[in-house]
Amino acid sequence: MTSEQTFVVVGASLTAAKTAQRLRKDGFAGRVILVGAERERPYERPPLSKGYLLGKEERDSIYVHEESWYADNSVELLLGRRAVRLDVGAHEVELADGERLAYTKVLLATGSSPRKLRLPGTDLDGVHYLRTVGNSERLRDTIRAGGRVVVVGGGWIGLETAAAARQHGCDVTIVEPQAAPLRAALGDRLGGFFADVHRAQGVDVRLDTTVTEVRGSSGRVSAVVTGDGTELAADAVVIGVGVEPRTELAGDAGLAVDDGVVVDAGLRTEQPDVYAAGDVARSHYPRYGRGLRVEHWANAVRSAPVAARSMMGEQVAYDRVPYFFSDQYDVGMEFSGWFAPDGFDDIVVRGDVEAKAFQAFWLAGGRVVAGLHVNRWDDGVKPIEKLITGGTAVDPGQLADPSVALADLAGD
């Protein structure tokens, strides 16, 4: 790679920082420019709903690199600079202030944005979404004051922010329209486990319940109204109803968009010299024979080096098993794998669910397609991934039996 080349990464995110790191590690000598609308240098988002929100982690701990790393590695940071147009014909990225950055290759790492709840009152003061470090700090200041917090949505962000608010002493209510929290990710049985975890901590978990309105007084939130007319008093409301990939640049540039920027296994779009990685990318997984968009931290960390190598002309394929983790109260969870909503025919549990120390496995055709562990750190997630990647048929009875080593079932 010659020093005349310029690689631009749009979105100064974890994906961007890890891509830049790999480019320099692998000897790329050209310009590397990271463009980000936020004024913060690249940071990691999981602490925003976990340790940082709880006040257990310092601000410096969330950043991907020390501030000096970028200058030391000749990586240009254009922070507080929003990209508004991708001109694939001219090979340029246009910024909001009119500056145009010429690129040899460009990586879209624009991430995702919280899905807005479009109901009356959601613009009141005291209504929170969680995506940025500023969002986390404002929410942390709010829940430190105590009071009544209503969390709308029982997904990962909703449950983690509910746990943080409860641990700060707030009275917490979770409102979830499905029959269980995390139903789309884990199903009723495992979602029900997490509902019980929160109930045991004194959280009011309201399932099969919708929200119709947020009410306030003098411009500030005071209550949430549910579908049956119940009014839940609230000093703060947290809305966690999912995210949407930030595909505007790609769509306006004529790139294929389908719940994310469509890329192949090498994270390449159909346009020459344009790549996408992280939350925004819907990449082709050879393992599953289809495109998937994975929104979690591990995907950013794992896909970034592949993007860097692909941009440098290597023939690579991103096919890592999807992974995510969550921390709620005394429950630590790691999940690995993927399945379609109707893509499994059995769930096998091993261990003690009541003691919050167990593993669960999703099976299709007798093979493990996904699994999780709760507080089983001696095993962790590695044997689960080996069962998935090995593709070996397993006996459900042995899988449920803690006396049978998972390594033996995986064929190690």
Side-chain angles (χ1 to χ4, degrees), residues 5 11 49 56 70 85 98 110-111 121 129 138 177 181 194 202 205 245 255 262 264 272 274 282 304 322 353 376 381:
Q5 292 188 312
S49 60
K56 295 180 178 180
Y70 298 93
R85 183 168 178 254
T110 47
Y129 291 89
R138 286 187 289 274
F194 282 96
V205 181
L255 303 180
V262 177
D264 64 14
V274 181
R282 183 178 179 84
V353 175
R376 291 294 298 268
V381 79

Side-chain angles (χ1 to χ4, degrees), residues 179-201:
L182 304 170
R183 191 181 193 193
L186 304 179
D188 289 339
R189 184 178 181 184
L190 275 300
F193 164 78
F194 282 96
D196 289 342
V197 166
H198 282 266
R199 290 189 179 111
Q201 297 290 336

Side-chain angles (χ1 to χ4, degrees), residues 25 147 372:
K25 181 180 179 180
L372 65 77

Side-chain angles (χ1 to χ4, degrees), residues 341-399:
D342 57 352
F344 67 95
D345 44 45
D346 195 10
I347 299 177
V348 175
V349 175
R350 137 186 315 224
D352 192 337
V353 175
E354 290 189 5
K356 294 180 286 191
F358 66 93
Q359 292 145 325
F361 306 87
W362 284 257
L363 275 66
R367 292 172 171 79
V368 176
V369 294
L372 65 77
H373 82 84
V374 168
N375 293 336
R376 291 294 298 268
W377 301 106
D378 289 344
D379 290 329
V381 79
K382 286 186 178 180
I384 296 173
E385 290 196 349
K386 287 182 179 179
L387 284 167
I388 295 168
T389 57
T392 304
V394 296
D395 178 83
Q398 290 187 318
L399 191 59

Side-chain angles (χ1 to χ4, degrees), residues 44-283:
E44 303 196 17
R45 298 190 190 275
L48 306 187
S49 60
K50 299 179 178 71
Y52 191 59
L53 184 60
L54 282 165
K56 295 180 178 180
E57 298 178 21
E58 297 298 324
R59 199 177 213 271
D60 284 349
S61 70
I62 71 173
Y63 294 107
V64 183
H65 297 115
E66 297 286 340
E67 188 171 4
S68 60
W69 182 90
Y70 298 93
D72 291 346
N73 289 274
S74 300
V75 173
E76 302 172 46
L77 281 178
L78 302 186
L79 302 177
R81 308 283 299 279
R82 186 167 59 90
V84 296
R85 183 168 178 254
L86 173 64
D87 188 334
V88 295
H91 271 55
E92 291 180 335
V93 174
E94 183 178 347
L95 307 185
D97 60 9
E99 183 179 358
R100 297 175 71 91
L101 303 174
Y103 66 80
T104 310
K105 296 185 180 181
V106 63
L107 174 68
L108 300 178
T110 47
S112 55
S113 298
R115 183 173 289 115
K116 301 296 184 181
L117 192 62
R118 306 200 182 281
L119 293 174
T122 52
D123 58 347
L124 290 166
D125 287 343
V127 175
H128 297 264
Y129 291 89
L130 182 57
R131 180 63 182 175
T132 67
V133 63
N135 296 154
S136 182
E137 289 169 347
R138 286 187 289 274
L139 180 57
R140 185 183 60 194
D141 291 344
T142 296
I143 61 180
R144 276 177 171 172
R148 300 157 299 185
V149 176
V150 175
V151 177
V152 181
W156 296 112
I157 291 296
L159 295 188
E160 289 178 0
T161 55
R166 190 74 190 103
Q167 288 170 272
H168 277 294
C170 299
D171 293 328
V172 180
T173 301
I174 297 172
V175 180
E176 165 58 43
Q178 299 293 319
L182 304 170
R183 191 181 193 193
L186 304 179
D188 289 339
R189 184 178 181 184
L190 275 300
F193 164 78
F194 282 96
D196 289 342
V197 166
H198 282 266
R199 290 189 179 111
Q201 297 290 336
V203 175
D204 181 0
V205 181
R206 301 194 177 206
L207 304 174
D208 293 313
T209 304
T210 59
V211 170
T212 59
E213 181 184 357
V214 178
R215 291 178 180 167
S217 176
S218 301
R220 183 161 188 85
V221 66
S222 61
V224 171
V225 182
T226 64
D228 62 3
T230 301
E231 187 172 294
L232 304 172
D235 300 302
V237 175
V238 181
I239 298 176
V241 292
V243 298
E244 297 174 336
R246 299 186 61 187
T247 59
E248 299 87 355
L249 276 180
D252 291 346
L255 303 180
V257 171
D258 179 13
D259 184 37
V261 180
V262 177
V263 292
D264 64 14
L267 306 181
R268 298 174 288 257
T269 72
E270 79 277 20
Q271 283 287 343
D273 304 324
V274 181
Y275 303 73
D279 281 14
V280 76
R282 183 178 179 84
S283 59

